[in-house]
Amino acid sequence: MSTLNDLNTDTVRDRDVDVAAETGTAGAAPDLLYSEAEDDLRAAVRSLLTDRADLPATLARAESGAPYDTALWTSLAAGIGAAGLLVPEALGGQGASHREAAVVLEELGRAVTPAPYLTSSVIATQTLLALNPVSPRGAGSAAAGELLGALAGGRTVAVLAVPLSTGPDAPLPTATTSGGVRAVADAVLADVLLVLGDDGLYAVETSAPGVTVHPVTPLDLTRPLATVTVDPAALAAGTRLTDAGTGAGGAEAAVRHGLLAGAGLLASEQLGLAEWCLEETVRHTRERHQFNRPIGSFQALKHRMAHLWLEVVSARAAARSAADALATDSPDAPLAVAVAQAYCGRVAVHAAEECVQLHGGIGMTWEHPAHLYLKRAKSAEIALGSTGSHRERLATLAALPAPGAPAA
């Protein structure tokens, strides 16, 4: 099996430097193409998922109520080194960028793989990185750096304790929220929770007294949800990573940084899902015959699949733009993320719906994996901010007046 160490990450960094040098400003000209290193990473992840997480196995695990394959996660996170892509080499990671993490998520989306990559290796990791652990300024930053090293090595899974639907600009729940924090994705597998308290951000172990993780029934069986409750004593016994505050290094800014990266890279997962649905639908309509001819040869179906192909191509551009903006720390990153989330969620749902419908009766059966894709697409559409909220954010960032609003 290929490992990430086999990939030339220096090439990635050199490419980014060249782009910045050519444009004068890092991220000013989005690079939407895949590099050779990214293609190699994609091949390694796809090979692993094909061997260890085919769709029948994923469906069987989803039915069992325990969708995670911990051995697969170890191979992905530690064997290939995917968990440490966003973590600097000084902290034990790979020192790659959001572009490479986006490629991993595309493959996880193609296979609807149950893995806490988005929640732990992206959102939690980015939240901790916002505390500037490379240049420790105190005990909190040092603790964040130590936790990042564990995340990068695949030894620990950390989850930010906010509802899956929380967007980058949405109100943030604290641990004192009545009834706990609901619909926290991947909390059932987490070793550590990043919890907002009234006086800062804390790292709390899920095994600590006073911490409860109660699973709830999710729509998407491949991404479990849970209600998380942390009592005040358990929170106080945890490790405080940073003080409360909205400024740089503060708890709110760190959490919003993590959510922004998560929303931007979720678009890549949605892209991978849509690509699989389109490819599988085209394959099926080529092989399925009716009236002595492939059903895909009928003009009406050709138009539907051609229209979907155009949507997927556009989604790829939006997702890659968001990943590149995050990778280059572009000031346009919030705008690119809003564009990607305003578009890719709807495309993924449309692709999954077409996949179910154009497979006919077999697409409606439990044994066919199409329903896993539709449920993941519907769940992801409202994850990290709804399509509507991202459109509103996009209108604000681009200074687009709402319909009927008076001209400025």
Side-chain angles (χ1 to χ4, degrees):
M1 178 187 302
S2 299
T3 69
L4 197 64
N5 292 328
D6 299 327
L7 306 179
N8 188 355
T9 53
D10 290 340
T11 302
V12 177
R13 287 190 289 270
D14 292 344
R15 180 210 56 212
D16 293 340
V17 170
D18 291 342
V19 170
E22 292 174 0
T23 60
T25 305
D31 180 4
L32 306 185
L33 303 179
Y34 297 99
S35 68
E36 184 177 347
E38 290 165 1
D39 287 337
D40 290 342
L41 174 59
R42 178 192 306 283
V45 175
R46 185 174 297 187
S47 176
L48 173 68
L49 298 181
T50 301
D51 292 341
R52 305 276 294 278
D54 59 13
L55 288 171
T58 300
L59 181 58
R61 285 191 168 277
E63 288 181 290
S64 73
Y68 293 118
D69 181 345
T70 53
L72 171 66
W73 171 248
T74 300
S75 298
L76 177 68
I80 291 181
L85 283 173
L86 295 176
V87 179
E89 291 177 325
L91 297 175
Q94 306 296 339
S97 74
H98 301 73
R99 294 175 55 91
E100 289 73 33
V103 169
V104 175
L105 281 165
E106 285 181 29
E107 292 306 306
L108 295 176
R110 283 182 63 90
V112 287
T113 306
Y117 192 81
L118 179 68
T119 49
S120 180
S121 303
V122 175
I123 298 176
T125 295
Q126 286 290 289
T127 300
L128 294 169
L129 285 171
L131 304 180
N132 197 21
V134 179
S135 301
R137 293 171 297 172
S141 295
E146 183 178 348
L147 181 53
L148 278 168
L151 297 183
R155 303 186 300 275
T156 299
V157 172
V159 167
L160 182 62
V162 298
L164 177 62
S165 60
T166 306
D169 302 305
L172 301 175
T174 65
T176 56
T177 301
S178 177
V181 183
R182 301 179 179 181
V184 179
D186 295 331
V188 293
L189 190 68
D191 304 296
V192 176
L193 297 170
L194 303 183
V195 183
L196 272 171
D198 293 331
D199 59 344
L201 180 66
Y202 288 79
V204 181
E205 294 186 4
T206 54
S207 59
V211 178
T212 59
V213 177
H214 181 68
V216 297
T217 302
L219 171 66
D220 175 14
L221 298 176
T222 62
R223 181 167 281 157
L225 304 177
T227 297
V228 172
T229 304
V230 181
D231 67 29
L235 187 67
T239 302
R240 190 163 75 168
L241 300 170
T242 188
D243 296 334
T246 58
E252 181 175 338
V255 170
R256 296 200 183 284
H257 180 78
L259 293 174
L260 180 68
L265 297 191
L266 174 62
S268 293
E269 182 188 287
Q270 293 165 323
L271 168 63
L273 185 153
E275 287 180 333
W276 183 91
C277 289
L278 175 60
E279 293 170 10
E280 185 63 17
T281 303
V282 170
R283 183 199 62 77
H284 175 76
T285 55
R286 278 178 173 169
E287 297 177 354
R288 180 83 166 88
H289 282 64
Q290 206 169 53
F291 306 114
N292 204 31
R293 57 186 288 192
I295 61 174
S297 65
F298 291 107
Q299 197 72 3
L301 299 193
K302 284 183 179 178
H303 285 173
R304 287 173 65 169
M305 287 182 281
H307 180 68
L308 185 56
W309 179 82
L310 290 173
E311 289 185 354
V312 171
V313 171
S314 300
R316 183 181 301 118
R320 292 301 292 170
S321 177
D324 189 75
L326 291 167
T328 56
D329 198 21
S330 168
D332 290 333
L335 181 67
V337 169
V339 170
Q341 273 305 306
Y343 189 75
C344 294
R346 291 292 177 90
V347 172
V349 170
H350 185 209
E353 289 175 342
E354 289 289 69
C355 182
V356 171
Q357 292 179 16
L358 296 184
H359 272 76
I362 192 174
M364 304 292 178
T365 63
W366 185 262
E367 290 76 13
H368 195 278
H371 66 91
L372 291 178
Y373 286 84
L374 181 57
K375 291 169 183 173
R376 170 68 72 88
K378 293 294 290 183
S379 172
E381 189 182 23
I382 60 172
L384 299 168
S386 65
T387 299
S389 67
H390 285 290
R391 286 180 173 175
E392 291 178 359
R393 180 62 174 159
L394 174 59
T396 301
L397 292 170
L400 294 173

